[in-house]
Amino acid sequence: MNVITKQTRKESYEKIKLKKKCKLIYEQLESGEYTARELSKKMYNTKDEEGNRLLRTAERQETAPRLTELVNLDLVEVVKKKYDEESGCSVAVYKRKGEN
């Protein structure tokens, strides 16, 4: 990773410092591309260093509004559509901007 990418990633991260859930979601997107539902399930099943779950529930609503905020901040982008078995609809897949 080059120096400019590291700098812009740090600048982006600083933009979301005040919102804890946005920060957690942004950090989780470092590991790949996810739908809102996939991300909420992943975060619900992930524990912090104190053994607490990152989210209270695995519901899509835990992440969807924050993903929209991150898209509006130009930190996250929608990269494709994917069929969601639970809803029976096509849904957006998100990833961090600048990540390969």
Side-chain angles (χ1 to χ4, degrees):
M1 180 179 309
N2 71 37
V3 174
I4 293 172
T5 304
K6 286 182 181 178
Q7 289 171 347
T8 57
R9 182 183 297 168
K10 182 168 175 30
E11 290 168 11
S12 297
Y13 189 75
E14 294 297 320
K15 281 185 181 179
I16 59 172
K17 224 176 187 181
L18 300 177
K19 298 178 182 179
K20 183 179 179 184
K21 195 178 286 187
C22 277
K23 181 179 171 182
L24 289 171
I25 289 168
Y26 186 73
E27 289 171 352
Q28 293 298 309
L29 284 172
E30 187 171 42
S31 64
E33 302 174 355
Y34 302 94
T35 66
R37 188 179 315 281
E38 290 169 342
L39 189 59
S40 63
K41 288 178 181 180
K42 177 186 186 305
M43 292 178 70
Y44 177 74
N45 291 316
T46 301
K47 295 185 179 178
D48 63 16
E49 54 278 343
E50 297 170 1
N52 300 315
R53 294 181 188 275
L54 295 182
L55 295 179
R56 294 174 293 157
T57 71
E59 294 297 316
R60 178 192 167 281
Q61 191 60 25
E62 288 282 338
T63 56
R66 306 297 79 79
L67 284 165
T68 300
E69 288 178 23
L70 290 168
V71 167
N72 291 338
L73 287 170
D74 205 30
L75 298 173
V76 170
E77 63 187 334
V78 176
V79 291
K80 61 186 171 186
K81 292 191 295 185
K82 183 177 183 178
Y83 183 76
D84 179 57
E85 299 269 336
E86 276 187 58
S87 68
C89 299
S90 290
V91 297
V93 177
Y94 300 88
K95 78 169 196 160
R96 284 169 57 156
K97 274 199 158 181
E99 300 287 317
N100 293 328

